[in-house]
């Protein structure tokens, strides 16, 4: 039985006993465990069917608490933390030994973040350990942005879902790391590349040799095959295709097969509904989903990244 509620003390008690709790954050719901308790962390990998080579993000109430788990915050990291925490930013930093290798898949670095959610913040203050939490979805599927998304997929496998309502950002955190003096954005997310570059100068988008597969190509997949491309109502099988568009509605296509993410053209709004829209279209049982490419600026880049990876899985 999985209970859904907003009892922070109960969540804290379950986590202290080594059990898993789904937690709200501003990005997506996380599947949390005590990051210092290896059997509990192992259970995360089991419940998600996640390969052990894909490391987890460690969440703390503030930068100060997270300093217990990383060797230090270099200037670039402190600058970004000061500006974006609490918020949708994850920093990859050299880890201290107290963080189990299981959490980091054996890497010498740990990904850390301070989420922005009143309930989860309160929870992180109540427990005396950090929370390891990947997105609360089966490995490879679209991330959950509401408690019912979590319940649909993990119901029965975890005791409690802390209900913080809908996620306001709706897309995962931006992951930033440094190598040889260069800043890399390993995963595009809720903080845009432009916002990061305004503080630390030009960054490289993409992985670091030997770093984790934060950028797995097949991910965020719907069960219905998804393709990414321009929407032309004259060439699509309108009866059997779900349409995901940014601003435009297509009169030639059945209304109930279309999701328009933001008629007014707001990329933040569009990203906050993206995963819910993908789930909605997936549930219609159509032959395919056609998503249009978004403008390659701001959060549009993160949206395109998720759509591209969903399309790769098709
Ligand atoms: O917004 C988010 O980041 C959400 C919420 C729950 O905080 N979490 C999330 O976790 O998206 P997850 O596990 O779905 O994605 C974390 C990504 C993984 O792809 C992993 O490869 C990368 O972070 N990662 C974790 N530790 C890393 C490290 N030490 N170096 C490089 N990448 C790392
Ligand atoms: Mg994930």
């Amino acid at each position: 039985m999985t209970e859904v509620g907003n009892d922070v003390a109960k969540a804290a008690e379950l986590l202290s006993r080594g059990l898993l709790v789904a937690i709200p954050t501003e990005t997506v719901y996380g599947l949390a465990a005590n990051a210092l308790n290896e059997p509990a962390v192992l259970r995360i990998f089991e419940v998600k069917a996640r390969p052990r080579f894909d490391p987890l993000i460690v969440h703390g109430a503030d930068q100060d608490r997270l300093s217990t788990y990383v060797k230090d915050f270099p200037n670039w990291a402190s600058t970004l933390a000061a500006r974006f925490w609490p918020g949708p930013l994850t920093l990859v930093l050299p880890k201290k030994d107290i963080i189990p290798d299981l959490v980091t898949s054996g890497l010498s670095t740990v990904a850390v973040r301070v989420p922005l959610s009143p309930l989860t913040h309160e929870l992180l203050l109540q427990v005396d350990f950090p929370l390891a939490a990947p997105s609360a979805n089966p490995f490879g599927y679209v991330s959950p942005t509401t408690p019912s998304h979590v319940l649909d997929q993990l119901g029965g496998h975890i005791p409690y879902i802390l209900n913080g309502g809908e996620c306001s950002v709706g897309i995962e955190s931006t992951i930033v790391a440094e190598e040889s003096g260069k800043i890399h954005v390993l995963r595009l997310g809720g903080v845009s590349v432009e916002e990061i570059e305004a503080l630390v100068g030009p960054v490289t988008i993409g992985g670091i040799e030997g770093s984790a597969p934060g950028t797995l190509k097949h991910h965020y997949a719907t069960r219905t095959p998804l393709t990414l491309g321009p929407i032309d109502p004259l060439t699509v099988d309108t009866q059997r295709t779900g349409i995901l568009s940014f601003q435009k509605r297509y009169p030639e296509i059945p209304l109930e097969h279309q999701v328009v993410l933001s008629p007014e053209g707001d990329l933040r709004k569009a990203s906050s509904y993206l995963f819910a829209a993908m789930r909605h279209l997936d549930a219609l049982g159509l032959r395919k989903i056609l998503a249009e490419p978004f403008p390659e600026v701001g959060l549009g880049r993160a949206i395109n990244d998720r759509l591209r990876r969903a399309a790769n899985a098709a």
Side-chain angles (χ1 to χ4, degrees), residues 27 50 54-55 57 59 109 111 113 134-135 172-173 175 187 212-214:
T27 58
R50 177 179 176 114
D54 197 7
I57 295 175
H59 301 70
T109 54
R113 130 170 160 84
S135 50
E172 295 86 347
S173 60
I175 304 180
R187 178 177 71 185

Side-chain angles (χ1 to χ4, degrees), residues 150-301:
V150 181
L151 198 59
D152 284 349
Q153 292 185 306
L154 301 183
H157 297 280
I158 55 175
Y160 201 63
I161 300 172
L162 192 58
N163 183 356
E166 277 178 32
C167 301
S168 58
V169 172
I171 201 160
E172 295 86 347
S173 60
T174 302
I175 304 180
V176 184
E178 183 203 34
E179 195 188 62
S180 327
K182 278 202 164 156
I183 309 291
H184 293 248
V185 169
L186 300 184
R187 178 177 71 185
L188 296 162
V191 175
S192 70
V193 169
E194 291 88 337
E195 289 174 290
I196 289 169
E197 290 189 325
L199 291 182
V200 298
V203 301
T204 306
I205 300 176
I208 291 173
E209 197 66 33
S211 88
T215 45
L216 286 171
K217 274 201 173 131
H218 310 267
H219 228 80
Y220 309 103
T222 44
R223 276 178 286 272
T224 313
L226 182 147
T227 50
L228 186 58
I231 295 162
D232 177 358
L234 293 178
T235 60
V236 298
D237 174 359
T238 57
Q239 294 306 313
R240 287 189 288 188
T241 307
I243 297 291
L244 185 60
S245 83
F246 181 25
Q247 295 182 257
K248 200 171 158 202
R249 198 171 287 290
Y250 295 86
E252 308 86 340
I253 298 170
L255 259 189
E256 62 277 17
H257 294 176
Q258 301 182 53
V259 178
V260 183
L261 284 175
S262 173
E264 66 281 29
D266 179 341
L267 286 169
R268 275 186 194 279
K269 207 172 237 177
S271 51
S272 74
Y273 297 135
L274 176 69
F275 290 148
M278 287 167 73
R279 280 172 188 264
H280 171 76
L281 291 171
D282 201 14
L284 297 178
L286 297 167
R287 182 69 57 89
K288 67 179 208 169
I289 297 170
L290 176 58
E292 74 178 356
F294 281 64
E296 193 62 25
V297 292
L299 293 194
R301 295 198 224 200

